[in-house]
Amino acid sequence: MGLLEGRKGIIFGVANEKSIAWAIAQKLHKEGAELAFTFAGEALEKRVRPLADSLGAKLILQCDVTKDDQIQSVFEQVQSSFGYLDILVHAIAFANKEDLKTDFLSTSRDGFRLAHDVSAYSLTALARQAAPLMQGRPGSILTLTYYGAEKVVPRYNVMGVAKAALEASVRYLAADLGPKGIRVNAISAGPIRTLASAGISGFMEMLHYVEAKAPLRRNVTAEEVAGTALYLASDLSSGVTGEVIYVDAGYNIMGM
């Protein structure tokens, strides 16, 4: 019997088979969770639907997380199909490419607003709709962050500031939802080659630097991040909430 047998979950943020969110979905499914998936538009639907179908997903829903009516519709369909919800995986982040190419000082007002809306506020918007479906359940909400939320990473720019807001949101949501028995945590993953990382200028340089400086002298895999996600989604982490857990080969502990 799997760690998540009988649990229901929803995954936001799968882009393709290399997505961290996809690795997480596979791990949760293997341990018995029944999953729903969302996609942001037609282009992504063509990638997400075959992957979700391969796990026997009954719900594959469109959701633009900047639109409250679409978020509400998704959770209404989840309630109708599942009846309840145990797991919410938030793996969504976006910033305009031009805001990741120069310096943070050049960030436009609209670019700042968009990065925070999609990458940070969406967690709160999703959690608000998920919470009623998790009451009385061992609810677990988890999101993905990065070390650039704490320290300056060249060309990560407004995304780093948005991730800082995301990490603060994790703590405040954990405090709000804890009395309902719902846990909220984040995984701070080391750099991994994904569709999202391709938009960061100098990403390959980041990979090589972490490999050279991290205590384990290597980068991490999406599967390793997924293992931590399984821990956070299961009863193994029943006493853990409001935390940022690093899966980065130890890179975050280094000073010089």
Side-chain angles (χ1 to χ4, degrees):
M1 186 174 183
L3 288 171
L4 301 177
E5 203 69 40
R7 306 282 174 91
K8 313 284 188 181
I10 184 166
I11 313 286
F12 289 83
V14 173
N16 58 27
E17 70 279 358
K18 293 184 178 179
S19 298
I20 296 175
W22 175 239
I24 292 173
Q26 290 178 293
K27 184 75 73 173
L28 302 188
H29 174 76
K30 185 177 180 180
E31 290 296 326
E34 182 177 358
L35 301 173
F37 292 82
T38 69
F39 58 89
E42 290 184 9
L44 283 174
E45 181 182 8
K46 293 176 182 178
R47 299 172 183 164
V48 174
R49 188 169 291 278
L51 295 175
D53 284 339
S54 73
L55 298 187
K58 297 177 181 177
L59 291 177
I60 309 168
L61 308 169
Q62 182 169 353
C63 186
D64 179 342
V65 295
T66 67
K67 300 183 185 305
D68 289 330
D69 59 334
Q70 289 193 25
I71 293 174
Q72 181 177 347
S73 175
V74 163
F75 283 96
E76 286 175 350
Q77 293 178 74
V78 168
Q79 182 174 26
S80 178
S81 181
F82 286 173
Y84 59 87
L85 191 67
D86 300 294
I87 303 160
L88 166 63
V89 176
H90 172 277
I92 304 168
F94 181 81
N96 288 327
K97 285 187 177 180
E98 54 267 28
D99 290 323
L100 302 177
K101 288 181 178 179
T102 56
D103 54 24
F104 176 67
L105 185 65
S106 301
T107 306
S108 67
R109 186 180 299 274
D110 285 343
F112 188 95
R113 183 185 299 114
L114 178 63
H116 281 71
D117 190 5
V118 176
S119 310
Y121 181 73
S122 60
L123 176 66
T124 300
L126 297 179
R128 184 165 54 246
Q129 293 292 330
L133 302 182
M134 290 182 167
Q135 289 202 60
R137 307 288 304 176
S140 176
I141 297 173
L142 61 99
T143 188
L144 298 177
T145 185
Y146 175 60
Y147 191 52
E150 298 177 49
K151 304 294 182 183
V152 175
V153 173
R155 294 178 292 275
Y156 201 57
N157 297 352
V158 69
M159 186 57 72
V161 180
K163 290 293 189 181
L166 178 70
E167 291 185 9
S169 298
V170 165
R171 292 185 284 272
Y172 278 89
L173 289 170
D176 282 352
L177 296 175
K180 303 178 188 298
I182 300 169
R183 299 179 295 108
V184 187
N185 293 286
I187 299 173
S188 185
I192 297 172
R193 294 185 192 183
T194 64
L195 186 64
S197 68
I200 301 172
S201 179
F203 179 75
M204 293 305 296
E205 184 181 342
M206 291 168 60
L207 275 177
H208 296 322
Y209 188 85
V210 170
E211 183 178 10
K213 302 299 182 182
L216 294 180
R217 297 296 190 270
R218 65 175 178 83
N219 286 291
V220 296
T221 66
E223 289 70 27
E224 289 175 313
V225 177
T228 299
L230 172 61
Y231 160 72
L232 290 174
S234 75
D235 291 339
L236 293 175
S237 61
S238 60
V240 179
T241 194
E243 297 294 335
V244 175
I245 298 180
Y246 296 91
V247 183
D248 64 354
Y251 179 78
N252 75 93
I253 72 169
M254 301 303 292
M256 292 180 66

